Amino acid sequence: MMLSFCGGKHLSSYKQLTKDKPIKDFPLPKQVVLPLIQHIGAPAEVLVKVGDLVKTGTKIAEAKKLISSPVHSSISGTVSKIVDAPHPVLGKCKSIYIDSDGLDTFDPAIVKRNNYANLSKDELLAIIKSAGIVGLGGAAFPTCVKLNPPCPIDSFIINAVECEPYLNCDFRLMLERTEDILQGILLVKRILNVDNVFIGIEADKPQAIAVMRTAVRKLNLAIDVVSLKTKYPQGAEKQLIKAVLGREVPSGKLPFDAGVVVNNVATILSVYDAVALSKPLYERVITVTGKALKEPANLKVRIGTKFKEIIAYCHVGTKPVSKIIMGGPMMGLAQFTDDLPVIKGTSGILLLAEDEGCEFEQQPCIRCGRCVDVCPMRLLPYALSLCAQKRSFDLARAYNPFDCIECGLCTYVCPANRKIVEQIKLTKIVLK
Amino acid sequence: MKQIIIALGSLSALGGIFGLLLAWASKKFSVAIDHRITAVTDLLPGANCGACGSAGCAAFAEALVNKESELSRCVACNDQARCEINKVLGISSLQNCGEQQVAVIKCGGGKSENKFIYKGLKDCRASAGFMGGHKQCEYACLGQGTCIEVCPFGAIEMQDIGVPVINPELCRGCLKCVQICPRNIIEMHSKKKTVYINCSSLEKGADVLKKCKSGCIGCGKCVKICPVGAIKLENNLAVIDYTKCINCGKCVEICPTKAIKNTSLIKSVG
């Protein structure tokens, strides 16, 4: 019996599109757009002005609040304007435009650190904060806050599940930068001061499990590489904790209340880069995929690169594109323009061809209970949906809408094509 | 015959005794009713909307009679009823009794172009929560009709241009639409002053023109023509001071983008 959680569903993965494609460096963009909000929390505050010369890795916006994250220039060049620009999550956000000088000269502060093994916990946290590292799984919560939990914890789980269909960026990182990831894990382990360390990987990535296990054995580390049942949403924080440790995070609480910290594998790698190479978070690996593309790929792109440049690089095929989605098909956000920057939380760009996405008319609920079967949070999605449809939001409160992680499975399985997640999102907006 | 007389006699005796008992009880346990309260309750709109802060119209009437509240707190009452209530309460002047307030949606919309096609739930709050709404103008009415749903008086109707309109004759000023609108573009104003600025955009004139043909571009023509100086420009948007406005309608005629409207003309639409 493989480790897993209640509910969930095995989805068609579509991962073969980019599974065997090594990470390629995306050519240097001519211009980047860097939004001041790329994370959960307060916006960063601008440090530069129009006309300033910046280098790759120069801090251009500083986090002044506790829960916030700085922004670094991802190319060298000139700040051309600071205006409102389209943003893939918020719709619109104040952003810094930088025009490239084509040289990609690095900030002098980016040098290899040899003595990082001797740094104290506070020094490491300060490095992580000033490198602007946020959770790269998609939620983009500032990592330095997460690694400084207010109560004692005993376990640390590395989220390498990547349960969203189509996405492969974490899988490729595990194959290509195995040892750096392990070094990163050791750094975080030292910050958290825990003994139990787990790497959770879904069983449909046997290659990654084998590579990680061999590396752990070679370095003789006390890290448990756990193979998990292939089931969406295995990579959701609370579901991962349930599967690996059998612990349940109480309703309305956070993982550290259950004594656990969970971090995405790409975040761990950027922690390693920040500490060992003093490299701030100015680039990330994304999966650009979908049947509408001729050459889907795993690309290492600079933050702030425009979607349209990346899509052009991967060549749109003959099939007309019906949707551009930032992230995976289940939890990603559909976009209305391709004039958008890649932000820290962008794990992929998915282009659906016309025959892939289809629209249905919403029908009345037939009380079949399929949504109840699959709900990983064990809610009653049909009841929440009906409350929202009848505009009885006060009744919905009894069904705990705020526990919903918006994984989208209820909508996916609904035979009546009900827009259940949208209705739960509306309930959350109204009750907030 | 004898039995009939006995039965009749005893029953009438019993009836008499109980009658006297009831008469005594009604005097002894009587509750004094202030007839003004019932009279005021009858005159109030009876919508029980709660906007006055009382639990309903009857509770508000009691508060009025006991001088614990003011008539101006009722937004739904029409002017005739206000005079009548003042008569009942023994107040001669119309001071402090307020004016009937009606809601207006301040967006000429329709012509404001869409950023994208919104296919989500038909609810303005859901639409506003997704990428900041599907209209190019961030002050535009989203046109999903949530205000129409919540209006208890059926005073709001959707127009062809995709923006609802409020019929001032049916509106009782309960504020439900004002509270639910995620764009905050529904505003209350006196029913007597029928002119209003039909735009909420605080953007500069040129930016407004790019997105919409019927927005306020802040040209200031209405400010100049107003004979009583009731209009001024605040953040690129004309604002009418209703304490000065004499409802002459000159601003409606002069406005180059037809962004100033007159609610008295809405009747024919609604």
Side-chain angles (χ1 to χ4, degrees):
Chain A
M1 180 76 182
M2 220 174 254
L3 294 172
S4 198
F5 61 98
C6 307
K9 190 175 168 59
H10 179 80
L11 306 174
S12 320
S13 78
Y14 297 101
K15 290 200 192 262
Q16 65 281 5
L17 285 171
T18 53
K19 204 173 172 190
D20 304 318
K21 307 224 166 138
I23 299 167
K24 269 195 285 185
D25 279 346
F26 184 76
L28 210 61
K30 289 213 168 55
Q31 188 189 50
V32 290
V33 183
L34 298 157
L36 295 177
I37 308 176
Q38 303 187 30
H39 50 265
I40 293 177
E45 286 171 36
V46 187
L47 294 176
V48 289
K49 52 187 189 297
V50 176
D52 279 3
L53 291 173
V54 289
K55 289 185 175 140
T56 309
T58 309
K59 196 183 273 183
I60 52 173
E62 177 64 293
K64 294 265 166 75
K65 302 270 163 58
L66 178 68
I67 300 182
S68 183
S69 185
V71 180
H72 298 80
S73 171
S74 55
I75 50 174
S76 62
T78 331
V79 178
S80 62
K81 52 184 171 176
I82 303 172
V83 287
D84 278 341
H87 186 284
V89 179
L90 305 169
K92 201 165 124 181
C93 176
K94 197 172 175 193
S95 312
I96 303 172
Y97 283 70
I98 296 170
D99 290 338
S100 173
D101 55 9
L103 300 171
D104 198 24
T105 37
F106 287 88
D107 197 83
I110 302 179
V111 282
K112 205 168 169 200
R113 225 182 242 128
N114 293 320
N115 60 340
Y116 67 86
N118 307 325
L119 293 170
S120 72
K121 178 189 164 181
D122 290 339
E123 282 167 328
L124 286 172
L125 280 174
I127 292 171
I128 291 171
K129 170 143 200 185
S130 90
I133 294 174
V134 299
L136 297 181
F141 188 79
T143 304
C144 60
V145 183
K146 206 177 197 179
L147 294 183
N148 202 1
C151 55
I153 57 148
D154 56 29
S155 304
F156 171 45
I157 303 176
I158 292 96
N159 186 349
V161 177
E162 204 161 49
C163 60
E164 273 271 0
Y166 286 98
L167 301 185
N168 270 321
C169 47
D170 291 353
F171 171 71
R172 288 311 309 180
L173 279 177
M174 278 189 282
L175 295 191
E176 294 177 29
R177 297 195 59 189
T178 321
E179 292 205 358
D180 293 346
I181 290 172
L182 290 180
Q183 291 303 327
I185 293 173
L186 291 180
L187 283 170
V188 177
K189 188 180 166 193
R190 214 165 78 220
I191 297 173
L192 292 171
N193 195 17
V194 289
D195 295 327
N196 309 325
V197 182
F198 303 91
I199 305 176
I201 308 176
E202 255 183 358
D204 69 341
K205 303 176 191 71
Q207 249 178 308
I209 297 172
V211 166
M212 288 315 274
R213 281 202 177 138
T214 325
V216 166
R217 217 171 297 135
K218 202 171 98 190
L219 294 172
N220 201 14
L221 300 170
I223 297 174
D224 202 351
V225 181
V226 193
S227 162
L228 302 165
K229 194 170 171 184
T230 311
K231 193 161 85 170
Y232 178 85
Q234 185 69 76
E237 214 166 39
K238 288 172 186 173
Q239 279 61 36
L240 184 62
I241 294 170
K242 175 80 182 141
V244 174
L245 296 168
R247 285 184 209 166
E248 199 141 331
V249 180
S251 167
K253 294 283 171 69
L254 293 165
F256 61 70
D257 291 305
V260 193
V261 164
V262 181
N263 257 322
N264 179 273
V265 65
T267 317
I268 299 293
L269 190 60
S270 61
V271 167
Y272 169 79
D273 284 346
V275 175
L277 314 171
S278 63
K279 187 181 113 181
L281 183 59
Y282 61 77
E283 60 183 3
R284 67 157 297 158
V285 176
I286 64 169
T287 301
V288 189
T289 181
K291 286 186 182 154
L293 286 174
K294 258 190 212 155
E295 294 166 28
N298 295 300
L299 299 173
K300 191 199 251 180
V301 297
R302 298 291 166 97
I303 308 279
T305 312
K306 295 263 178 78
F307 276 28
K308 58 181 171 194
E309 288 175 40
I310 298 169
I311 293 168
Y313 181 81
C314 295
H315 300 290
V316 178
T318 45
K319 284 184 189 172
V321 179
S322 73
K323 263 195 176 140
I324 301 177
I325 298 170
M326 184 191 95
M330 296 299 286
M331 288 187 77
L333 289 165
Q335 304 295 336
F336 61 88
T337 166
D338 57 359
D339 191 21
L340 291 164
V342 166
I343 57 170
K344 291 175 184 174
T346 308
S347 47
I349 302 174
L350 171 61
L351 272 81
L352 292 181
E354 205 168 42
D355 51 347
E356 280 184 295
C358 39
E359 279 161 30
F360 298 103
E361 192 70 21
Q362 175 165 302
Q363 305 290 330
C365 172
I366 56 168
R367 313 297 203 278
C368 63
R370 284 188 212 180
C371 52
V372 182
D373 282 345
V374 294
C375 180
M377 294 307 288
R378 287 183 276 162
L379 302 174
L380 302 179
Y382 80 94
L384 281 162
S385 147
L386 289 169
C387 287
Q389 195 181 4
K390 300 265 188 316
R391 300 290 186 265
S392 308
F393 297 107
D394 46 340
L395 291 181
R397 207 182 278 277
Y399 297 103
N400 301 315
F402 289 100
D403 279 342
C404 171
I405 56 169
E406 299 172 14
C407 70
L409 269 182
C410 44
T411 309
Y412 180 83
V413 297
C414 183
N417 304 316
R418 294 177 64 78
K419 297 171 175 172
I420 306 178
V421 191
E422 283 181 58
Q423 279 158 337
I424 300 178
K425 278 186 187 173
L426 174 61
T427 310
K428 287 184 181 176
I429 293 174
V430 174
L431 292 181
K432 206 178 274 172
Chain B
M1 188 64 195
K2 205 181 164 191
Q3 283 99 326
I4 296 173
I5 294 168
I6 293 171
L8 212 71
S10 56
L11 277 176
S12 2
L14 271 175
I17 293 165
F18 285 132
L20 283 171
L21 211 72
L22 282 174
W24 173 80
S26 74
K27 282 262 187 266
K28 176 80 180 167
F29 300 112
S30 71
V31 179
I33 296 170
D34 193 335
H35 291 286
R36 289 180 301 172
I37 296 178
T38 34
V40 174
T41 312
D42 290 344
L43 286 165
L44 285 171
N48 291 324
C49 65
C52 55
S54 301
C57 289
F60 182 56
E62 204 180 323
L64 279 179
V65 170
N66 297 335
K67 299 201 168 58
E68 286 159 3
S69 190
E70 276 181 10
L71 187 50
S72 58
R73 297 178 77 166
C74 179
V75 284
C77 206
N78 64 28
D79 292 337
Q80 198 193 344
R82 278 173 208 275
C83 291
E84 300 274 318
I85 292 171
N86 273 352
K87 261 184 220 164
V88 174
L89 296 176
I91 303 166
S92 55
S93 73
L94 270 175
Q95 266 179 348
N96 270 340
C97 72
E99 281 175 344
Q100 187 182 1
Q101 301 277 310
V102 290
V104 285
I105 298 175
K106 295 180 71 180
C107 175
K111 292 164 203 158
S112 166
E113 278 180 30
N114 289 345
K115 268 194 293 197
F116 54 92
I117 306 160
Y118 176 70
K119 287 180 179 166
L121 291 182
K122 208 169 159 46
D123 190 298
C124 295
R125 290 163 291 182
S127 165
F130 183 71
M131 299 269 164
H134 62 285
K135 290 283 178 80
Q136 276 199 339
C137 169
E138 59 185 288
Y139 302 93
C141 168
L142 294 163
Q144 303 297 316
T146 303
C147 50
I148 302 176
E149 259 174 51
V150 297
C151 179
F153 306 105
I156 315 183
E157 264 179 52
M158 187 59 87
Q159 299 176 97
D160 299 339
I161 55 166
V163 176
V165 64
I166 301 175
N167 185 339
E169 292 306 316
L170 293 175
C171 175
R172 308 300 286 271
C174 68
L175 299 170
K176 286 212 165 128
C177 53
V178 177
Q179 285 155 0
I180 209 139
C181 180
R183 297 284 209 183
N184 294 322
I185 56 168
I186 309 186
E187 210 179 66
M188 301 299 294
H189 77 146
S190 161
K191 193 181 171 184
K192 280 183 197 159
K193 308 284 170 67
T194 55
V195 291
Y196 68 101
I197 314 288
N198 197 24
C199 177
S200 309
S201 175
L202 302 181
E203 284 181 288
K204 284 192 180 129
D207 295 331
V208 174
L209 265 183
K210 263 183 229 161
K211 294 170 184 172
C212 171
K213 301 277 179 298
S214 54
C216 171
I217 52 170
C219 63
K221 278 191 179 169
C222 50
V223 179
K224 275 177 212 145
I225 200 153
C226 182
V228 289
I231 310 182
K232 56 179 185 285
L233 282 179
E234 274 175 20
N235 300 321
N236 309 310
L237 181 67
V239 179
I240 302 178
D241 180 354
Y242 285 107
T243 55
K244 287 183 191 163
C245 174
I246 52 167
N247 216 26
C248 64
K250 280 187 180 152
C251 49
V252 181
E253 285 159 28
I254 197 94
C255 180
T257 54
K258 305 270 175 285
I260 308 183
K261 285 255 156 46
N262 198 332
T263 48
S264 60
L265 302 172
I266 287 174
K267 272 180 253 171
S268 56
V269 182

